[in-house]
Amino acid sequence: VLASQALSTLAFAPTQSWTTSSSTTTTVTDVGSTTSLSAVREATFGMGCFWEPSESLLKKPGVLATTVGYTGAPPNKPPPLYDTVCFGKDWVEAVRVAYDDEVVSYTQLLDHFFELQKPGYSRQYASIVFVDDKTEEKEAGNWKKASIASSSDKNGRDDGLSYEIVEIEPSSSFYKAEEYHQRYWEKKRLQLAFG
């Protein structure tokens, strides 16, 4: 849908969209004799409290949308509510990112994830890359190894946050958080501005 909207500026160009996996939507647009392939991909990250990172990611080129929610629990767990996450030990507050892989690569998105996260010391606020398949797992693992190797004295950020804190886990069910969590800071700014 997002790729179709982005490509809708190409007047009268017939398009076909299909989902190639649970995390990829591919749109083919036929313009005359050339064909353009654009993919909207999804990635999910545990970044600490999801409110601020979800908004900051939207400012990055190629990031089309973010949704905050809960993931990371074993498959036998019922869908969570915020209280379940806060008082439990299984769930992670996560940000699901829709991005255009022609503008931002998965590796660049991992850099943004690391730069913007604010992890805590519980599973709820853990620093986790949730990977959808073996390709993402390999790419995330290579990114982490290369980042650790290239950072001075193992600190990745000026505040001392190390790449070593990042965990890589297989994706599990993602449950969209309650509506009041979506674009939280944007709503709060409007509330404060207009009382």
Side-chain angles (χ1 to χ4, degrees):
V1 171
L2 292 172
S4 297
Q5 291 170 346
L7 294 174
S8 66
T9 57
L10 298 171
F12 309 110
T15 62
Q16 295 179 337
S17 295
W18 66 92
T19 301
T20 56
S21 73
S22 63
S23 65
T24 306
T25 301
T26 303
T27 300
V28 175
T29 303
D30 187 15
V31 183
S33 62
T34 61
T35 299
S36 168
L37 183 65
S38 178
V40 174
R41 299 190 50 80
E42 290 182 355
T44 305
F45 305 113
M47 301 178 72
C49 176
F50 47 36
W51 292 336
E52 196 277 329
S54 66
E55 186 173 321
S56 296
L57 278 167
L58 285 171
K59 297 174 186 171
K60 297 298 182 180
V63 174
L64 305 172
T66 60
T67 301
V68 298
Y70 316 115
T71 192
N76 61 344
K77 293 289 181 176
L81 298 173
Y82 189 59
D83 287 345
T84 314
V85 176
C86 291
F87 298 109
K89 295 180 181 173
D90 296 316
W91 296 99
V92 176
E93 287 190 19
V95 179
R96 177 159 285 172
V97 182
Y99 66 100
D100 182 339
D101 70 350
E102 289 185 355
V103 178
V104 61
S105 70
Y106 184 65
T107 302
Q108 290 169 320
L109 196 62
L110 290 168
D111 289 337
H112 297 326
F113 146 77
F114 187 75
E115 167 195 343
L116 298 172
Q117 69 176 313
K118 296 181 178 177
Y121 295 102
S122 66
R123 177 142 177 92
Q124 177 184 356
Y125 298 126
S127 172
I128 304 175
V129 176
F130 292 98
V131 295
D132 288 329
D133 54 34
K134 294 290 183 191
T135 302
E136 278 189 5
E137 182 178 24
K138 183 178 180 182
E139 197 167 345
N142 290 341
W143 167 83
K144 182 177 176 180
K145 284 181 203 170
S147 298
I148 290 170
S150 68
S151 62
S152 61
D153 63 32
K154 304 300 180 238
N155 290 327
R157 295 194 325 200
D158 292 340
D159 63 3
L161 186 67
S162 170
Y163 287 99
E164 292 177 353
I165 195 172
V166 176
E167 298 174 43
I168 300 169
E169 294 184 10
S171 291
S172 59
S173 296
F174 179 89
Y175 296 94
K176 183 178 175 183
E178 298 82 353
E179 193 55 39
Y180 68 91
H181 290 298
Q182 307 301 322
R183 304 190 97 160
Y184 180 83
W185 287 117
E186 182 180 316
K187 292 174 190 173
K188 282 295 179 190
R189 279 193 297 278
L190 287 172
Q191 250 180 0
L192 292 173
F194 297 108

